[in-house]
Amino acid sequence: MAPKKQNWAKSLTMALNLGTSVAAVVAIGLFGGRWLDARFGTGNLLTIFGFLLGAATAMKILWDRMMEKEREETEESQTFDRLKK
Amino acid sequence: MIFGMWDGVLFHLGPIPVDHLVVTEWVIIAILAIGAFLGTRAMKLVPTGGQNVVEMVVTFTYDFFTQVMEDEHTAKKYAPLLSTFFLFILISNYSGLIPGAAHIEGFQPPTSNWNVTAALALVTFFAVHIGGFSSHGAGYLGHFIKPNVAFLPLNLIEEIAHPLSLTVRLFGNIFGEEMIIAYLLFMAPFIVPSALMGLSVLLGAIQAIVFTLLSASYIGASTSAGH
């Protein structure tokens, strides 16, 4: 197993970024949808659509970060294996 | 006046109204400019005294942003902007620690007004996209349709979320803290608010660090090779 290189600044930023981004995208979808509903008189339709769009964006953000982390770990272990050989 | 916050115009510069927040920001800018002038005048090849401290801080800043952005060249390019963010927000937050600041006209911390935090977040927003275009050219637009064009609305929401979260977090924390201190001062004027003001020293620094770190992360992501 490759020794983990600790980049605390990067990890802290990722944690901060993830939490706030997920909350912000859901809020944008929800309140954006509510504003559009009030403007076009479409009941709750666009609020629900906006919320779902925000939730989908939140999931995409989580998926992207997960993939990014996995890619970094794969690269790290490949580098370690190369050095070991 | 909203929740004890002053909202008065002090004077006009032609057609532009200037309120106390703008004046406070000018004072903070003057403090930073004078500090930078005093810290960098009469610099020598072999540093002595204060120059040692300034060089140590600058080196630490470069190393820190290199860790966050994972690219030394980008870190050195954007470190002046990000360091200015940090110092400006830190001094702004601390300007609210003057006793009774929220109740005295002219002593409200600028970061407790969302117009100021939105302006700071917009600077980050433009720095992110200008940085992206300067690093990748027109190809930068391609990241809006990654992995395919169906993701365009999701990517756009994600981009809008960055300045929004920067604005709301900084404004909400500082405004909330100021309000709590103001109400505590009203209820128990002497000892009780001082504990919270002590906590505000920590909170003010944390918020300045968070804003700067996230700005660095957004700029680093838009300029990185893998973007």
Side-chain angles (χ1 to χ4, degrees), chain B residues 163-202:
Chain B
L164 183 85
S165 67
L166 285 175
T167 302
V168 174
R169 188 189 316 96
L170 183 57
F171 158 71
N173 277 291
I174 304 304
F175 180 79
E177 170 214 310
E178 284 301 305
M179 284 304 94
I180 292 168
I181 291 175
Y183 284 121
L184 279 177
L185 270 171
F186 178 71
M187 290 189 287
F190 294 109
I191 314 257
V192 182
S194 56
L196 202 73
M197 288 173 86
L199 201 64
S200 298
V201 176
L202 189 66

Side-chain angles (χ1 to χ4, degrees), chain A residues 6-10 12-13 16-17 20-21 24-25 28 53-54 56-57 60-61 64-65 72, chain B residues 64 67-68 70 146-147 151 153-155 157-158 160-162 164-165 169 210 213-214 217-218:
Chain A
Q6 296 293 329
N7 183 345
W8 66 270
K10 178 86 180 160
L12 177 67
T13 312
L16 284 169
N17 201 353
T20 54
S21 295
V25 292
I28 287 173
L53 201 64
T57 311
K60 181 194 166 284
I61 291 172
D64 285 348
R65 298 297 173 276
E72 275 173 19
Chain B
F64 182 71
Q67 267 193 308
V68 176
E70 293 185 310
K146 267 186 184 171
F151 282 81
L154 274 63
N155 288 328
I157 291 177
E158 194 181 342
I160 298 166
H162 293 162
L164 183 85
S165 67
R169 188 189 316 96
V210 167
L213 267 180
L214 288 177
S217 153
Y218 298 150

